[in-house]
């Protein structure tokens, strides 16, 4: 069995990684009780996130270690939040290193500011495929070089790596275990030809191998952030100002039973102090429950913002609706020809599209609400700062984080310690969903540890988690389209939303936030004269990355509109899409056809009162088509009977993980589509726990079938792309069921759920 | 002092009798396999067995556990050999894994009560955000 370990093979490796740069070929090879081969897995998954990557690409963030006793370890700095990244990466390395799945162990590397990267953008495995293959092959070739030296035979073709052995082919009685060659291999020169395996001969990539992390997750031994305990530890609970934008008037008096009360300064998500903003109080006690109880009861004087109109659902929706029609928009697509500036191009393009459009066949506005993440493991962080007198000398952090690098950088900012004195342990994440890329909870825990000078674990109560999220932005999208002869002649698409990037101070004024239009641009359809625009919404609600980001919002509008147009044209939804795919994207066409075929038999014999709907979307390079079957037992409910899902994610590393991520994306989207919405009244979040934020329970889960398209293309993301097609597929099915078109999500606002 | 029997071991704990059992298990006894999810007995992540019955420990006063036998995920088996654990590994059920202790304990309690198939599923109507429901159904189907 492949194992998960938290114990590094040698203590000196991290020190070497922090101070030595990679060579020109991207490797750092050294001797550390055997062979250590370090390399840099790409730091981030999407270019817009460049500022999240605070470390240098010329330092390593991952390594392969082969010890003299034959232990083979892959250490990487990313996050395992359920998506199977740990296993996927190990599978790729084991393939090229020519070892069996049972011969390796995997660890999340201890992170200082250099030994980590951010996990987001569905990139954890797919965007690191080539680097990891190359590294696995390089380690193997160093071991081969050591065998060549032992034999004095420099003909590479006389050596074969197999099953963690190097075999000498002229005399197969001569062979070495990798461990026997490990120390010598560290002194070898890396050959130019790394002999990457022909994908046709893959032994492990593409196989549904058992995941490394699963055994520890069935016996309670898997350590999530919330499970970290240190000797002498104290426990903190956070209480934010309930009103978004409110600040602490004065630090409250420590209540009886508490060990301390600590005012916490807010940070923006990348660690910069928001000037003067103390927006929370931490209550420190001898156990978590006592800290929770005291925090709930704590009387605090808050200074409220002058206006809360921009953080009130009703007022904000009305404002956004007006702004969608009246505000100037920025053109996202098509890009202006060189003869135009973006500003001069917009009116010309708009006039051109309007000329063809005339009176639109359909003019519809689709609304998606703010959404909370609600990861099953609430936000938490454990910090231990050692002091010499009043001076901090080291800082150690354990956190369920998608960005250990940023955690380390923030720790350096707050403690003023050098990077070498800071260590970050990425624990298992009880769900990430984009929320645990943020730094608010980390920032608070470090401040508490500095105030109490004891090891401290800070935990957010579920109510704080729901009420102080960084929500998926609300979006209003107006789509106008003209049909003639069953074909779209003109398409005008205008979406309005808060920019996540702008809220982090990283959007150039006057430019389009690419994440706000994900799923609306680069469409595979032939749309005639078309225009895609974005209107930024200025509002005070904190927004963040929610699984699939812009794609879940825009795919709802695009694929709902495609269905509305199909209905208006009197053409079957599959056929209507085929007619508009043309030769544009063969992958989209193949996925759609496969979903058509997969679902055709049950769609032809639907029981009375049942209906089906389809939608297709691309996110993070992966195409997914979903076909749903529904019925409606009562006005306030919907039964989702089945979801057929076809996915093309390029080369598949682990089909079991792909299937699980599609099942997961579908459930996450079902929750959001049917019931999900974060609402605010006068600046205060009104949904504080699962009892008024209904999610699907086990018994309601539809039957999900996942079909994976065979492919030799480069791997693309799987963590997020299962989400976007579900909402439009469901709305399309609902329209076929009873003729009612749902254009505003969720289907059932204000849904509640009872106890177990 | 409150006397508890957890996973066959006797403990004396010095806590407020109103402390929920969940936090005594986690913060006092160090049995962190049982998870905090919602604190209002809606999600099921904190489920343990008390005298063989599934019970959300987040709202169960520790004083009510006196004289009863508490079993947590750590006490289900010494070596992942309980049939539920074996089925969970075979079907590769967990994703993030956070809700799984509660799912497994509810499943084990239902089996202990002699239930099968859909009866078991109806007694483990917990919340999972990752979407492991599909594989849980597969795993329970063969128990």
């Amino acid at each position: 069995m492949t194992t998960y370990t938290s114990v590094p093979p040698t203590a000196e490796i991290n020190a070497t990684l922090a101070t030595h740069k990679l060579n020109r070929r991207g490797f750092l090879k050294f001797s550390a009780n055997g062979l250590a081969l370090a390399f840099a897995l790409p730091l981030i998954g999407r270019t817009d996130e460049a500022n999240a990557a605070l470390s240098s690409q010329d330092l390593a963030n991952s390594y392969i270690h082969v010890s003299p006793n034959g232990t083979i370890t892959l250490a990487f700095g990313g996050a395992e939040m359920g998506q199977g990244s740990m296993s996927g990466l190990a599978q790729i390395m084991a393939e090229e290193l020519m070892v069996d799945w049972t011969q390796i162990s995997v660890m999340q590397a201890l992170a200082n500011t250099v030994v980590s990267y951010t996990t987001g953008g569905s990139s954890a495995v797919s965007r690191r495929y080539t680097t990891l293959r190359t590294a696995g092959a390089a380690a193997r070739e160093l071991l081969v070089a050591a065998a060549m030296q032992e034999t004095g035979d420099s003909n590479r073709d006389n050596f074969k790596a197999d099953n963690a052995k190097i075999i000498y082919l002229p005399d197969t009685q001569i062979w070495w275990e990798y461990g026997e060659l490990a120390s010598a291999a560290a002194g070898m020169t890396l050959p130019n030809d790394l002999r990457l395996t022909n994908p046709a001969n893959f032994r492990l990539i593409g196989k549904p191998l058992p995941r490394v992390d699963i055994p520890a997750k069935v016996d309670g031994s898997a350590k999530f952030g919330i499970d970290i305990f240190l000797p002498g530890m104290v426990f903190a609970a956070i209480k934010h100002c309930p009103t978004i934008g409110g600040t602490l008037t004065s630090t409250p008096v420590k209540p009886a039973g508490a060990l301390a009360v600590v005012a916490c300064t807010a940070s923006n998500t990348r660690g910069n102090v928001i000037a003067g903003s103390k927006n929370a109080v931490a209550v420190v006690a001898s156990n978590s429950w006592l800290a929770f109880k005291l925090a709930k009861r704590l009387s605090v004087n808050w200074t409220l913002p002058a206006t809360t109109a921009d953080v009130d659902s009703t007022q904000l929706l009305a404002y956004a609706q007006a702004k969608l029609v009246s505000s100037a928009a920025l053109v996202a697509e098509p890009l202006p020809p060189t003869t135009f500036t973006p500003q001069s191009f917009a009116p010309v393009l708009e006039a051109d599209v309007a000329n063809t459009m005339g009176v639109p066949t359909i003019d519809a506005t689709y609304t998606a609400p703010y959404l909370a993440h609600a990861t099953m493991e609430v936000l938490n962080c454990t910090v231990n700062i050692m002091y010499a007198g009043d001076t901090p000398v080291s800082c150690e952090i354990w956190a369920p984080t998608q960005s250990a690098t940023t955690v380390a950088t923030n720790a350096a900012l707050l403690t003023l310690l050098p990077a070498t004195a800071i260590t970050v342990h990425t624990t298992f994440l009880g769900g990430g969903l984009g929320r645990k890329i943020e730094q608010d909870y980390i920032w608070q825990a470090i401040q508490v540890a500095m105030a109490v000078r004891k090891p401290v674990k800070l935990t957010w109560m579920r109510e704080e988690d729901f009420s102080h999220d960084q929500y998926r932005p609300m979006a209003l999208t107006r789509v106008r389209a003209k049909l003639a002869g069953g074909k779209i002649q003109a398409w005008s698409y205008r979406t309005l939303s808060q920019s996540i990037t702008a809220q982090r101070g990283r959007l150039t004024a006057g430019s389009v936030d690419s994440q706000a239009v994900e799923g609306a641009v680069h469409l595979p359809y032939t749309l005639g004269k078309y225009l895609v625009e974005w209107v930024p919404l200025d509002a005070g609600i904190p927004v963040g990355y929610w699984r699939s980001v812009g794609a879940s919002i825009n795919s709802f509008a695009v694929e709902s509109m495609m269905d509305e147009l199909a209905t208006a044209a009197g053409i079957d939804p599959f056929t209507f899409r085929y007619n508009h795919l043309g030769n544009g994207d063969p992958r989209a066409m193949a996925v759609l056809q496969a979903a058509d075929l997969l679902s055709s038999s049950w769609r032809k014999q639907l029981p009375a009162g049942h209906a089906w709907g389809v939608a297709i979307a691309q996110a993070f390079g992966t195409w997914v088509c979903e076909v749903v079957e529904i019925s409606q037992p009562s006005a306030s409910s919907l039964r989702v009977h089945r979801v057929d899902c076809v996915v093309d994610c390029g080369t598949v590393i682990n089909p079991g993980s792909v299937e699980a991520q599609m099942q997961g994306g579908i459930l996450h989207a079902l929750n959001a589509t049917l019931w999900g919405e974060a609402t605010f009244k006068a600046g205060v979040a009104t949904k504080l726990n699962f009892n008024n934020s209904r999610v699907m329970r086990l018994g309601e889960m539809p039957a999900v079938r996942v079909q994976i398209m065979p492919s030799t293309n480069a791997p693309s993301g799987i963590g997020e792309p299962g989400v976007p097609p579900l909402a439009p597929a469901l709305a399309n099915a609902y329209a076929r069921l009873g003729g009612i078109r749902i254009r505003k999500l969720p289907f059932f606002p204000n849904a509640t759920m009872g106890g177990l | 002092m409150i006397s508890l029997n957890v996973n066959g071991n006797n403990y004396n704990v010095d806590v407020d009798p109103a402390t929920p059992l969940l936090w005594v298990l986690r913060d006092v006894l160090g049995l962190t396999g049982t998870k905090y999810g919602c604190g209002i007995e809606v999600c099921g992540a904190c489920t343990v067995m008390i005298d063989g019955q599934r019970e959300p420990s987040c709202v169960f006063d520790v004083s009510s556990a006196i004289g009863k036998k508490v079993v947590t995920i750590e006490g289900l088996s010494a070596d992942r050999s309980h049939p539920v654990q074996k089925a969970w590994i075979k079907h590769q059920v967990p994703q993030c894994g956070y809700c799984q202790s509660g799912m497994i304990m509810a499943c084990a309690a239902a089996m202990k009560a002699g239930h099968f198939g859909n009866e078991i599923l109806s007694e483990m109507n917990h919340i999972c955000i990752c979407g492991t429901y599909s594989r849980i159904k597969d795993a329970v189907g063969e128990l």
Side-chain angles (χ1 to χ4, degrees):
Chain A
M1 181 60 101
T2 308
T3 52
Y4 166 71
T5 175
S6 58
V7 183
T10 83
E12 72 225 66
I13 288 180
N14 277 313
T16 308
L17 297 188
T19 50
H20 289 68
K21 293 192 171 180
L22 299 173
N23 70 14
R24 142 187 91 70
R25 294 176 67 187
F27 293 111
L28 172 64
K29 160 182 72 75
F30 55 100
S31 175
N33 186 32
L35 168 65
L37 182 74
F39 49 98
L41 289 176
L43 292 173
I44 44 155
R46 34 203 309 168
T47 49
D48 335 11
E49 281 273 316
N51 283 356
L54 297 166
S55 58
S56 168
Q57 272 284 47
D58 58 8
L59 290 166
N61 60 24
S62 307
Y63 61 84
I64 296 166
H65 182 260
V66 183
S67 78
N69 67 17
T71 310
I72 298 165
T73 306
L74 169 66
F76 72 104
E80 173 58 70
M81 46 193 168
Q83 81 282 45
S85 64
M86 191 179 274
S87 293
L89 294 173
Q91 225 167 314
I92 298 165
M93 177 201 74
E95 178 73 62
E96 290 291 356
L97 192 52
M98 300 297 170
V99 297
D100 193 72
W101 185 235
T102 59
Q103 292 168 319
I104 53 173
S105 60
V106 193
M107 67 173 293
Q108 279 166 298
L110 295 168
N112 55 32
T113 47
V114 296
V115 196
S116 181
Y117 55 81
T118 298
T119 306
S122 286
S123 64
V125 177
S126 62
R127 298 288 290 271
R128 290 159 179 127
Y129 174 72
T130 304
T131 318
L132 207 48
R133 277 185 71 195
T134 308
R140 179 234 302 146
E141 289 306 308
L142 287 169
L143 292 160
V144 171
M148 287 173 161
Q149 188 185 50
E150 287 230 355
T151 55
D153 181 346
S154 60
N155 181 356
R156 173 63 180 84
D157 289 337
N158 283 340
F159 298 84
K160 183 184 178 196
D162 185 30
N163 202 23
K165 292 181 185 68
I166 305 291
I167 300 156
Y168 188 50
L169 296 175
D171 179 356
T172 55
Q173 296 302 302
I174 302 176
W175 53 269
W176 303 261
E177 301 275 0
Y178 279 3
E180 297 175 72
L181 297 167
S183 296
M188 294 295 121
T189 303
L190 194 60
N192 287 326
D193 181 5
L194 297 181
R195 298 188 170 224
L196 288 184
T197 303
N198 181 339
N201 299 327
F202 280 162
R203 307 162 296 121
L204 302 177
I205 292 174
K207 302 289 189 298
L209 299 178
R211 270 172 52 170
V212 177
D213 53 326
I214 281 181
K217 290 177 176 176
V218 304
D219 66 3
S221 63
K223 292 289 178 221
F224 298 85
I226 204 168
D227 301 329
I228 299 299
F229 282 84
L230 302 175
M233 172 194 255
V234 292
F235 302 81
I238 198 77
K239 184 188 184 92
H240 294 89
C241 179
T243 307
I244 292 168
T247 55
L248 195 59
T249 312
S250 57
T251 303
V253 176
K254 184 178 76 167
L259 301 171
V261 168
V262 182
C264 289
T265 301
S267 76
N268 78 8
T269 54
R270 299 299 176 224
N272 301 316
V273 180
I274 294 173
S277 177
K278 289 188 192 303
N279 72 337
V281 184
V283 178
V284 185
S286 58
N287 67 62
S288 304
W289 177 73
L290 187 55
F292 284 9
K293 191 171 82 168
L294 294 170
K296 275 182 188 166
R297 292 179 184 171
L298 189 68
S299 174
V300 187
N301 291 321
W302 304 106
T303 303
L304 301 185
T307 174
T308 54
D310 63 340
V311 273
D312 182 287
S313 297
T314 310
Q315 294 184 59
L316 195 49
L317 181 62
Y319 176 65
Q321 284 166 338
K323 202 172 161 81
L324 179 68
V325 179
S326 65
S327 259
L330 299 162
V331 177
E333 206 181 59
L335 295 173
T338 49
T339 47
F340 288 94
T341 65
Q343 289 75 17
S344 66
F345 180 58
V348 176
L349 182 61
E350 280 167 16
D352 193 26
V353 173
N355 191 34
T356 309
M357 182 81 73
V359 178
T361 308
I362 297 175
D363 178 349
T365 299
Y366 303 92
T367 305
Y370 288 100
L371 277 180
H373 295 80
T375 56
M376 281 310 296
E377 179 196 23
V378 290
L379 302 172
N380 67 86
C381 177
T382 299
V383 181
N384 187 19
I385 303 174
M386 303 297 281
Y387 281 84
D390 285 336
T391 310
V393 292
S394 68
C395 175
E396 198 166 7
I397 298 176
W398 292 257
T401 176
Q402 292 176 241
S403 187
T405 300
T406 322
V407 171
T409 307
N410 282 337
L413 274 172
L414 281 164
T415 62
L416 303 177
L417 284 166
T420 48
I422 294 163
T423 307
V424 180
H425 307 263
T426 300
T427 64
F428 281 123
L429 281 70
L433 307 173
R435 180 63 178 94
K436 288 173 182 165
I437 212 161
E438 310 297 357
Q439 300 288 308
D440 41 2
Y441 60 109
I442 308 286
W443 189 264
Q444 292 162 349
I446 297 169
Q447 291 178 74
V448 176
M450 290 174 74
V452 301
R453 299 208 179 171
K454 283 180 181 162
V456 63
K457 174 163 63 183
L458 179 133
T459 307
W460 285 31
M461 290 174 276
R462 177 59 72 189
E463 291 78 6
E464 296 292 324
D465 177 69
F466 266 102
S467 62
H468 288 79
D469 202 347
Q470 301 186 31
Y471 305 88
R472 186 187 78 173
M474 174 181 77
L476 275 61
T477 307
R478 185 183 188 191
V479 196
R480 285 169 286 180
K482 182 74 168 184
L483 275 179
K487 284 287 191 71
I488 300 169
Q489 310 297 323
W491 173 273
S492 170
Y493 187 101
R494 175 181 286 201
T495 186
L496 167 147
S497 58
Q498 263 183 277
S499 165
I500 302 167
T501 317
Q503 204 169 66
R504 282 145 183 74
R506 294 195 277 111
L507 187 70
T508 310
S511 62
V512 175
D513 182 346
S514 62
Q515 297 191 8
V517 295
E518 274 173 340
V521 294
H522 312 310
L523 293 178
Y525 300 125
T526 305
L527 299 169
K529 297 279 187 188
Y530 81 103
L531 166 66
V532 180
E533 298 172 302
W534 174 61
V535 181
L537 175 68
D538 47 332
I541 292 175
V543 289
Y545 309 100
W546 187 95
R547 194 176 189 174
S548 83
V549 199
S552 71
I553 294 166
N554 289 303
S555 298
F556 171 59
V558 169
E559 284 294 287
S560 293
M561 187 57 157
M562 287 300 287
D563 224 71
E564 295 206 43
L565 291 167
T567 305
I571 298 173
D572 163 79
F574 277 101
T575 309
F576 186 77
R577 285 174 174 80
Y578 293 144
N579 292 347
H580 287 86
L581 278 170
N583 300 320
D585 193 322
R587 291 176 68 201
M589 180 64 98
V591 166
L592 196 60
Q593 286 172 331
D596 192 348
L597 191 64
L598 181 66
S599 61
S600 68
S601 63
W602 64 260
R603 281 189 290 121
K604 282 176 190 149
Q605 39 193 313
L606 276 183
H610 287 227
W612 65 271
V614 61
I616 181 170
Q618 187 259 102
F620 307 97
T622 292
W623 280 102
V624 179
C625 182
E626 287 163 6
V627 189
V628 305
E629 178 189 353
I630 62 164
S631 66
Q632 188 162 32
S634 75
S636 63
S637 69
L638 198 69
R639 187 93 177 89
V640 185
H641 297 273
R642 75 169 98 209
V643 181
D644 276 356
C645 170
V646 176
V647 51
D648 178 352
C649 57
T651 296
V652 174
I653 314 301
N654 187 324
S657 290
V658 174
E659 182 198 64
Q661 285 308 297
M662 292 302 120
Q663 292 167 337
I666 286 165
L667 174 73
H668 202 220
L670 281 168
N671 290 336
T673 308
L674 293 170
W675 309 294
E677 61 172 345
T679 50
F680 307 88
K681 190 165 186 178
V684 180
T686 57
K687 298 182 190 305
L688 302 181
N689 208 323
F690 289 110
N691 58 339
N692 57 13
S693 300
R694 177 155 161 31
V695 293
M696 191 166 265
R697 290 196 185 276
L698 187 147
E700 304 169 290
M701 183 72 181
V704 175
R705 284 195 297 185
V706 178
Q707 181 180 316
I708 305 171
M709 301 294 281
S711 173
T712 53
N713 291 325
S716 48
I718 58 159
E720 300 170 85
V723 175
L726 194 279
L730 210 56
N732 296 342
Y734 195 74
R736 292 169 79 87
L737 187 68
I740 297 169
R741 172 58 60 175
I742 302 281
R743 290 177 177 154
K744 185 172 188 291
L745 298 179
F747 274 51
F748 305 107
N750 300 312
T752 58
M753 67 194 299
L756 287 165
Chain B
M1 279 292 176
I2 290 171
S3 298
L4 292 177
N5 184 286
V6 182
N7 299 334
N9 301 315
N10 292 315
Y11 299 93
N12 290 312
V13 295
D14 183 13
V15 293
D16 178 345
T19 309
L21 176 62
L22 168 68
W23 295 107
V24 176
L25 294 173
R26 290 182 54 81
D27 287 4
V28 181
L29 303 183
L31 296 168
T32 56
T34 308
K35 304 301 190 205
Y36 165 68
C38 66
I40 55 168
E41 59 176 325
V42 168
C43 79
C46 65
T47 300
V48 299
M49 271 196 258
I50 297 179
D51 283 349
Q53 303 278 319
R54 74 194 158 102
E55 202 64 63
S57 63
C58 71
V59 291
F60 193 93
D61 288 357
V62 65
S63 56
S64 302
I66 295 168
K68 297 181 170 150
K69 291 193 183 308
V70 178
V71 179
T72 70
I73 186 76
E74 291 90 347
L76 200 56
S77 73
D79 51 5
R80 302 171 189 139
S81 60
H82 189 281
V84 178
Q85 291 171 312
K86 286 160 84 171
W88 251 237
I89 291 173
K90 179 181 170 191
H91 289 273
Q92 295 282 292
V93 170
Q95 289 187 30
C96 90
Y98 194 78
C99 72
Q100 296 299 326
S101 298
M103 290 282 191
I104 290 167
M105 293 312 288
C107 185
M111 279 182 72
K112 202 179 171 82
H115 297 159
F116 291 96
N118 287 339
E119 287 175 325
I120 295 179
L121 290 174
S122 73
E123 289 168 44
M124 46 189 301
N125 230 356
H126 297 184
I127 294 174
C128 164
I129 299 291
C130 291
T132 61
Y133 295 150
S134 304
R135 290 189 181 178
I136 287 175
K137 288 181 174 183
D138 294 342
V140 169
E142 68 166 45
L143 288 172

